[in-house]
Structures are given as C-alpha cells and as structure tokens.
Amino acid sequence: MRGRSMSTLFQGRSRENVASPKAAAAGTSPRNATSPNSAAKREAQAVAMVLDLVQLQHKGRSSFKLRSKAQVEALKHFTVAPVREIYADAAPPGAPRERRGRAPEDNLAEQRHVTSVFVMVRGLDDALERGDLERVQECFATINLCVKDRGGMLRQFIVDDKGVVAIAFFGVRGHSFEDNEWRAVRFTLSVVRALRRWGLQCNCGVTVGEGFCGLVGAPRRCEYAVMGPSVNLSARLMAAAAKAGEHPVYVDERVERRTRETSQQRLCGFHPLEPIQAKGFAAPVKVFGLTEMVEARAPSADRRGEGTPSRLLRVR
C-alpha cells in the first residue's frame, strides 16, 4: 500500500519539475523556489528525491555527505510528528555534554493520555481480490484527510484477519489538544459519512486511557506505536460494532463523559447499550452507540455562517 501511495503522488510529474538531491539538500526546488508548495507537491518531490538518490548512489555520482543530507530532507516527509518533534528539540552539536548524553530517540518513550480510534472498512474485498488498488487508495486518502482535518495521527492502514483496518490516535506528540475525545468522535462521524459516498461501510471503536508511546522494534528497524489496555479495548469495540450492526460507532464510558463536557456535545447523540464482555477485561465494559445529530449537518446562525462542522473546533 505504501508503494502505491508513493507512485500515485509521483504520477504525472516530469523530471525537470522535481527537486534534485543537491537542490533538496539546500532546501530549494529548481523551479518556483520561493513560491509556497502544497503538501502534495512537497511529498511528490520527496518521493522523486528518493528515486534520484537511489540512481546517484548506484552510479556513484554524489558524495556521501550530500546523499546523507538529502536523505534527511526526504525522510522528513515520511516521519510521524512525534519523531520529528523529538529530533527538532534535540541538543545541537555544540551543546553541553549533559544535554547530549542521550540519543533523541531515547526521549520518545513516554506514558500519555491518548484517545484511540479503530476503523474497520467493509466493501473492499472485491477490489483487493482484483488488485484494484485505485479504490483502496481512494479509501486510504479519504481516511487520511479526515484524520488530518481533526488534528489526529493516522498510525496504520492495514489488511489483517479483521479486514481493512485503519488506526488513528489523538493525544500523541504533535497531535494533542484539550478536546482530543471530541475530535476523535467527530472524526469517526466524518469518516463514516465520507466513505459512504464511495459505497463503503465502516465501523469504529473509540476509547481513551493511558498508553505507552514510543518506538517498537530493533534499533535499525522500528516504528512509532501506541500500546495499552485502552488501545486493545478500542479494537474490541470496533469488532463489537461490526457484529451488532446497530450503530456504526461504539465509544466507551470515558469518551462519552468527556465529550458531554464540551460545549458542542449537542452535535452528537449517545445511546446506552448493553455492556459487552471484551477479551482481556474481567468486568463488562459499558458501551455507547454514537450517532450524528441533524443539527450537526445544517448551517445555523450561531455558527457565524460556517456550514461545515469541521470548522467548529479549529482551536489550533
């Protein structure tokens, strides 16, 4: 899926419009260097930059220092915000030794209050069997845009025994706000509505709790992950919502309580359901079904003329 996403971004761009490794290392592009580029163009340049680096390294036409600097610039486009923030705050080479005692990645491991969202997409089985990656890419792009619109981080987009599953988090470094639970709830409603336009159905599980945030894996091959009981419960609620079929989104008691404390709680409807026995939890878990109220879709005078609900809590 990652390769498909990269090729889609690079499609239709000529070589002369793409920054060379030397220009990338200097932080400029060969054409329109001073004009602001959109995020899609920057990502396309980064993809092409990686391809150029592979060719130059194979031909031996660039120095190691130049290749290393260009690789750092290219990889910035494919690194999650928590990792970028840690390295941006790292001590410079001339700092005192006590500030340079630890590697930046050692500061990534931490406990944070995180809101977890699991999304199970239904309706892509035929596309996967046919190898129709365009439809899968449309699904990924839709979910990714919905996550970014609410300020969250898309952790994974995978195909496993549950089918096509997307995992998003609110509350990690670079994606933390006072109303993380509310943002997660609005994200699930928007992604359900958006995927329905593509003829796809989805079920979501939303939970909140303490979780470990940091790198998982070997030093030379690792990834940023969030782990904890609340993350596991989010997956259980997603599966329960798909099995019941009554409400597309299930949330736990803490998400329901925190969302009701916000001034925009009238835009969501919470329906108490029978507690479920979730795997890994001794006591039954209280669950609420989530629905979008009609008022959330219709423009009104108290919104100051803003007809899209995504503008309501833009507090960044």
Side-chain angles (χ1 to χ4, degrees):
M1 182 58 57
R2 183 179 301 172
R4 180 59 183 173
S5 177
M6 291 170 61
S7 61
T8 302
L9 289 171
F10 184 66
Q11 184 178 4
R13 292 185 61 83
S14 59
R15 305 295 291 182
E16 60 270 16
N17 290 337
V18 177
S20 64
K22 184 175 294 187
T28 61
S29 59
R31 299 178 65 181
N32 299 327
T34 58
S35 62
N37 293 327
S38 63
K41 288 184 178 180
R42 290 195 301 269
E43 291 176 355
Q45 290 177 352
V47 172
M49 195 188 310
V50 174
L51 300 177
D52 287 342
L53 285 169
V54 173
Q55 295 178 2
L56 290 174
Q57 188 169 2
H58 177 70
K59 297 177 181 179
R61 295 183 179 179
S62 63
S63 65
F64 174 78
K65 184 176 181 180
L66 176 61
R67 290 199 307 269
S68 299
K69 190 172 182 180
Q71 286 171 353
V72 171
E73 293 297 324
L75 290 175
K76 286 181 179 179
H77 297 271
F78 305 101
T79 308
V80 294
V83 177
R84 291 198 305 267
E85 184 175 313
I86 284 291
Y87 276 86
D89 295 340
R97 179 174 298 180
E98 56 271 16
R99 289 190 59 193
R100 296 184 283 112
R102 300 178 63 187
E105 57 269 18
D106 294 339
N107 299 320
L108 269 174
E110 57 183 348
Q111 290 286 124
R112 296 183 68 93
H113 199 69
V114 179
T115 304
S116 310
V117 183
F118 275 66
V119 181
M120 178 192 300
V121 182
R122 303 193 311 273
L124 286 177
D125 294 340
D126 293 340
L128 291 171
E129 292 177 359
R130 297 193 310 267
D132 182 10
L133 296 185
E134 289 291 344
R135 184 165 175 78
V136 180
Q137 175 67 19
E138 290 169 352
C139 174
F140 166 76
T142 300
I143 296 176
N144 191 36
L145 287 175
C146 291
V147 173
K148 288 183 177 180
D149 183 57
R150 296 298 170 181
M153 181 191 78
L154 182 60
R155 161 73 174 84
Q156 276 186 332
F157 182 83
I158 58 176
V159 180
D160 57 11
D161 58 329
K162 300 181 181 65
V164 179
V165 176
I167 306 174
F169 293 105
F170 296 78
V172 297
R173 284 178 176 266
H175 303 278
S176 184
F177 307 89
E178 293 183 356
D179 55 350
N180 289 323
E181 295 81 7
W182 165 255
R183 289 172 179 267
V185 164
R186 294 302 301 170
F187 157 67
T188 59
L189 294 176
S190 63
V191 78
V192 168
R193 188 169 63 249
L195 290 179
R196 193 175 295 149
R197 299 192 185 112
W198 293 104
L200 302 173
Q201 303 295 324
C202 71
N203 292 98
C204 309
V206 187
T207 60
V208 62
E210 295 292 326
F212 166 81
C213 306
L215 297 179
V216 177
R220 296 181 63 87
R221 186 178 179 86
C222 54
E223 61 179 343
Y224 185 82
V226 180
M227 298 183 297
S230 63
V231 180
N232 299 335
L233 180 58
S234 180
R236 305 286 184 259
L237 296 188
M238 174 194 69
K243 183 177 180 180
E246 182 180 1
H247 297 279
V249 182
Y250 276 15
V251 304
D252 67 357
E253 184 179 17
R254 286 178 292 184
V255 172
E256 185 268 346
R257 183 172 62 252
R258 291 294 300 273
T259 304
R260 286 192 181 277
E261 293 174 357
T262 66
S263 59
Q264 304 294 339
Q265 57 87 20
R266 69 184 188 281
L267 304 181
C268 299
F270 294 94
H271 308 277
L273 304 175
E274 288 292 330
I276 64 173
Q277 190 66 48
K279 181 180 179 181
F281 294 83
V285 179
K286 293 184 178 180
V287 178
F288 293 82
L290 178 67
T291 57
E292 186 175 22
M293 307 301 289
V294 177
E295 184 182 2
R297 300 293 308 280
S300 58
D302 62 336
R303 295 189 190 180
R304 302 176 185 177
E306 296 176 352
T308 56
S310 62
R311 296 262 184 113
L312 290 177
L313 287 187
R314 276 298 186 198
V315 297
R316 289 178 289 173

